[in-house]
Amino acid sequence: MNVYINQKVYNDLISHSFKRLPEEACGFILGGQAHGKNEELQASTFIPLRNVASNPRNRFDISPVEMLPYLMDSNNTVIGLFHSHPTAPPIPSEQDLQTLWHAIPTYWILSMLQPQHPKLQLYQIKKATSTTYHKLAFVIGQ
């Protein structure tokens, strides 16, 4: 699966993550099926959400009150869950793999380990008897 990301969404992810340092940033990615491309997604909007975790430097939690309107909106589908890793690579942590978000198609992690070169990685997380993950390809366009 490819995920198409416009430059504005990509820039918004980075900007929000810088603003939240040294804490983890988080939010939703809205979008849908890429035009004319089966099994591929187009990200259209980044929705920053507050990190309400008790230890926001090492984890993220989103308030159900804040996220519910986006999850219930049939006109703007949530295609991704985003968060940053301020001091770690963009690889799912054990906490990430314990997520209850496996029903959302993509899981986005932006590493701020090297702030001058943030590194984005997208995943699909599948729940089974053991949780697995694999990288997804993405394209940043105009």
Side-chain angles (χ1 to χ4, degrees):
M1 170 193 305
N2 281 328
V3 179
Y4 295 88
I5 307 166
N6 66 43
Q7 192 67 48
K8 181 180 181 337
V9 169
Y10 181 72
N11 291 345
D12 289 349
L13 296 174
I14 291 173
S15 174
H16 181 62
S17 297
F18 271 113
K19 287 177 192 169
R20 297 305 311 149
L21 284 174
E23 298 177 353
E24 290 192 10
C26 57
F28 283 150
I29 308 297
L30 305 181
Q33 184 174 352
H35 182 68
K37 298 184 189 261
N38 199 14
E39 301 251 350
E40 297 191 347
L41 296 173
Q42 174 70 53
S44 60
T45 308
F46 170 60
I47 304 295
L49 297 169
R50 287 182 309 123
N51 182 349
V52 297
S54 59
N55 185 0
R57 288 180 180 222
N58 298 315
R59 63 176 290 124
F60 77 98
D61 285 318
I62 302 170
S63 164
V65 172
E66 247 185 275
M67 73 172 95
L68 204 52
Y70 298 103
L71 295 174
M72 302 303 288
D73 185 350
S74 59
N75 295 321
N76 293 297
T77 305
V78 175
I79 65 161
L81 175 66
F82 166 80
H83 77 285
S84 63
H85 282 180
T87 59
I91 299 169
S93 67
E94 277 303 312
Q95 288 175 323
D96 293 335
L97 295 178
Q98 299 306 314
T99 184
L100 299 175
W101 296 101
H102 57 274
I104 294 179
T106 61
Y107 197 81
W108 304 40
I109 302 173
L110 180 70
S111 173
M112 303 298 285
L113 193 57
Q114 297 177 348
Q116 62 279 28
H117 300 290
K119 185 172 181 182
L120 178 66
Q121 188 59 62
L122 279 60
Y123 298 92
Q124 275 187 314
I125 297 180
K126 299 288 187 186
K127 286 287 187 185
T129 52
S130 66
T131 303
T132 62
Y133 66 92
H134 69 274
K135 289 183 181 182
L136 297 174
F138 61 93
V139 178
I140 300 171
Q142 301 298 352

